[in-house]
Amino acid sequence: MPRRSLLATAALAAVPLAVLGAFFLYPVAGMIGRGFWPDGSFDPGSVLEVLGRDRVHRVLWFTVWTAGLATLLAVVLGVPVAFALHRIRFRGQGFLRTLIVVPFVMPTVVAGVAFRQLIASSGPLGGLHLDGTPTAIVAALVFFNVSVVVRTVGSFWEGLDRRTEEAAAALGAPPLRVFATITLPALFPVIASAASVVFLFCSTSFGIVLTLGGLRYANVETEIYQLTTQELDLQAAAALSVLQIVVITGLLAFSYRVRRNAPAVSRAAGRLRRPGLHDVPVLVWSAVVIGLLVTPLLTLAHGSLRVDGRWSLDNYRALQTTGDDNALLVTATSALVRSFEVAVQAAGLALVLGTLVAFLVSRRPRSRWTRRASGLFDGIFMLPLGVSAVTLGFGFLITLDSPPLDLRTSSLLLPIAQAMVALPLVVRTVAPVLASIDPRQREAAASLGAGPLRVALTVDVPHAWRALVAATGFAFAVSLGEFGATSFLARDDAPTLPVVIFRLIGRPGAENFGMALAGSVVLAIATGVAMLLVDKVRAGAVGAF
């Protein structure tokens, strides 16, 4: 690489690295430092002592088996749906693609409320007595993550070269044999990558486990929250954060390696075919899965419209109040406005940083060391995907409280934290589209005298504008429902709606719970509309999500 290009690349990389260093690595390091330097001196033995506690072993085991089981179920349920929604053409397909993503972008606390309403004694599944059990937590984790499998595998499946499958079918191979011998081996790297991401999301789930598990069942994420806010045991919390980061780094590395081994897909999705009789089982399976995903949402909406056994909009009208017995300091509608403001700011910041990162990692370095540097650069910006949002939020509080980064009273603290959470999704949405551009187009533009900026504006932007809009929508939806870091950073007089919902659930009174249901429906609709707009502009089959 010419020296001038190398300097320009380094300058571009410095901007997102500086922001990530100041607002992610520094806070997380500050939180971890509380564990290794409890009294100002380095004491790694204390961290090992914490990891040897029986309570920590119980939390780790609960995290592993619930996340593992939920991942297995999400893959089993999601792969057939990915086929139905991305390889077969039928009416309403676009709506179903959008609908199935809504649970993933829903605030986790809303998903927890929806399941509580579903399995409560008065709910449709009340007879199963699942309330307060690990089964309910696993079911909610599956509900939240099936869309990851459907979206990731389906997008890849849609762009997979079909000529080998068609040749095998022409030679007389039945559909099941074609799938087992040709399609599944091609899909395996993507399925493994999706499974590793789902396991990562499940093992770091916060709102769902906190809402459904309470104090009885805790995973690593909620245990960190309990240790920092209830027991003030920062050393133990830091030890768990270190362990979590090590595991997550390993998962991200595994996901990257298996995704790299996946066969190439065509940028333009292949033409979908009409369903045949042999597709009936997979269509029925998909209908059942989508029905299971929709049921908690319908139960949530039904509960929000029932007051004292009658149909009413009183729960929605109550959003303009502070709740029964002044449960809140501000009205729920004020919190909703605050959520929108923060989400817009966070999405804007995540888009700017994520586009820069995607631009750099999508290039095709020729030398080995530049390829390794690019891979490392990409991996660093994936860390916020799995590092505990609770760790990030608490790290903000203990590190960004003195000059030159004293942001304790700044209104930008919350948007910055949420932008760090949304940043990996922006990169993963934009980078594959930029990487799919034929480099000869850029070389041709440059040979005609266009500078790097003009090449980007005339070649990259026309190809990637849909991905940029989609990434903005993803970032907005994720920020709108972010709860882990927000639960630490939102001020009592300026909370976001997910924080208000969680507070209302914890307060007595039917009016407060009804407000929580109504607020959850409003948030679900807002994220659903955002995802509908994203799906309208999504960039064909290319994109990791």
Side-chain angles (χ1 to χ4, degrees):
M1 180 181 294
R3 187 173 182 178
R4 187 175 177 183
S5 298
L6 187 62
L7 291 176
T9 301
L12 281 179
V15 176
L17 275 176
V19 176
L20 190 78
F23 299 113
F24 178 76
L25 299 178
Y26 177 53
V28 172
M31 175 66 183
I32 295 173
R34 293 295 180 99
F36 282 100
W37 286 267
D39 299 317
S41 58
F42 186 57
D43 185 15
S46 59
V47 173
L48 296 177
E49 185 274 327
V50 170
L51 296 180
R53 296 176 184 173
D54 291 339
R55 173 178 168 177
V56 171
H57 293 168
R58 288 196 299 272
V59 170
L60 290 176
W61 172 238
F62 184 80
T63 303
V64 170
W65 82 258
T66 54
L69 181 59
T71 301
L72 177 63
L73 293 174
V75 171
V76 171
L77 294 174
V79 171
V81 181
F83 174 81
L85 296 185
H86 291 270
R87 292 296 293 263
I88 301 176
R89 183 176 76 252
F90 55 88
R91 190 180 295 276
Q93 186 178 45
F95 172 75
L96 293 180
R97 285 184 181 184
T98 302
L99 182 65
I100 205 164
V101 179
V102 170
F104 178 70
V105 295
M106 280 177 61
T108 54
V109 66
V110 172
V113 172
F115 263 79
R116 282 191 64 181
Q117 185 68 8
L118 182 69
I119 61 179
S121 57
S122 59
L125 301 182
L128 299 178
H129 306 292
L130 297 176
D131 196 9
T133 67
T135 303
I137 296 174
V138 172
L141 292 175
V142 174
F143 164 80
F144 192 73
N145 288 288
V146 161
S147 59
V148 177
V149 177
V150 175
R151 193 84 176 190
T152 306
V153 178
S155 297
F156 179 86
W157 207 338
E158 189 175 333
L160 195 63
D161 191 341
R162 304 173 192 186
R163 287 174 294 184
T164 308
E165 295 174 338
E166 293 168 353
L171 292 173
L176 189 59
R177 186 172 182 183
V178 172
F179 175 78
T181 58
I182 298 176
T183 309
L184 187 58
L187 290 177
F188 181 76
V190 180
I191 294 175
S193 175
S196 64
V197 172
V198 169
F199 183 85
L200 185 150
F201 285 150
C202 291
S203 61
T204 58
S205 178
F206 176 60
I208 289 176
V209 179
L210 188 65
T211 305
L212 295 174
L215 298 176
R216 185 177 181 186
Y217 297 107
N219 64 358
V220 172
E221 191 86 348
T222 58
E223 183 70 4
I224 293 173
Y225 176 79
Q226 294 288 346
L227 290 170
T228 51
T229 61
Q230 306 297 322
E231 303 179 20
L232 300 179
D233 189 351
L234 298 185
Q235 189 176 9
L240 286 176
S241 295
V242 171
L243 181 64
Q244 190 180 47
I245 290 172
V246 170
V247 173
I248 287 168
T249 302
L251 280 173
L252 290 174
F254 173 75
S255 176
Y256 173 76
R257 290 183 68 86
V258 296
R259 192 173 63 245
R260 190 180 57 179
N261 294 329
V265 299
S266 60
R267 188 171 184 279
R271 187 175 181 180
L272 306 184
R273 62 172 174 79
R274 292 184 178 279
L277 283 178
H278 58 277
D279 294 319
V280 171
V282 75
L283 289 174
V284 171
W285 179 276
S286 301
V288 172
V289 172
I290 293 174
L292 291 175
L293 295 181
V294 170
T295 299
L297 301 177
L298 294 179
T299 305
L300 183 67
H302 176 269
S304 71
L305 293 170
R306 300 289 289 178
V307 178
D308 296 331
R310 58 183 175 80
W311 295 101
S312 172
L313 294 175
D314 285 352
N315 288 330
Y316 291 89
R317 296 189 185 98
L319 293 178
Q320 302 176 43
T321 71
T322 56
D324 188 20
D325 199 22
N326 287 323
L328 307 170
L329 292 181
V330 299
T331 65
T333 50
S334 299
L336 177 62
V337 172
R338 175 64 177 157
S339 291
F340 275 95
E341 292 174 349
V342 172
V344 169
Q345 295 167 351
L349 180 58
L351 180 66
V352 172
L353 296 175
T355 302
L356 273 176
V357 176
F359 177 82
L360 293 171
V361 302
S362 63
R363 274 17 190 190
R364 301 174 184 176
R366 296 177 180 175
S367 67
R368 178 178 296 180
W369 76 268
T370 52
R371 282 197 297 272
R372 289 180 177 176
S374 178
L376 178 63
F377 185 74
D378 188 15
I380 289 174
F381 283 90
M382 291 301 103
L383 284 177
L385 193 65
V387 170
S388 164
V390 173
T391 298
L392 179 65
F394 197 75
F396 265 53
L397 286 184
I398 63 176
T399 58
L400 304 183
D401 60 346
S402 58
L405 287 175
D406 187 359
L407 301 177
R408 286 173 295 181
T409 59
S410 173
S411 60
L412 295 177
L413 193 64
L414 201 50
I416 291 173
Q418 293 189 358
M420 294 298 104
V421 175
L423 181 58
L425 285 177
V426 174
V427 177
R428 286 275 73 85
T429 303
V430 178
V433 178
L434 292 177
S436 70
I437 299 174
D438 191 336
R440 289 175 295 184
Q441 295 184 45
R442 300 189 185 101
E443 294 168 359
S447 66
L448 293 173
L453 180 59
R454 189 166 182 182
V455 170
L457 292 176
T458 56
V459 177
D460 293 68
V461 172
H463 279 88
W465 72 268
R466 288 177 178 272
L468 293 170
V469 175
T472 306
F474 274 132
F476 176 80
V478 170
S479 299
L480 198 60
E482 208 287 322
F483 179 63
T486 306
S487 62
F488 277 93
L489 302 176
R491 300 200 311 264
D492 290 341
D493 60 345
T496 61
L497 192 53
V499 174
V500 161
I501 292 170
F502 183 72
R503 289 175 182 170
L504 287 171
I505 294 173
R507 297 299 295 269
E511 181 180 338
N512 290 332
F513 189 70
M515 287 177 62
L517 295 180
S520 298
V521 172
V522 171
L523 264 185
I525 292 175
T527 53
V529 170
M531 290 312 303
L532 180 64
L533 296 176
V534 166
D535 207 61
K536 288 293 183 185
V537 298
R538 92 183 251 274
V542 179
F545 190 74

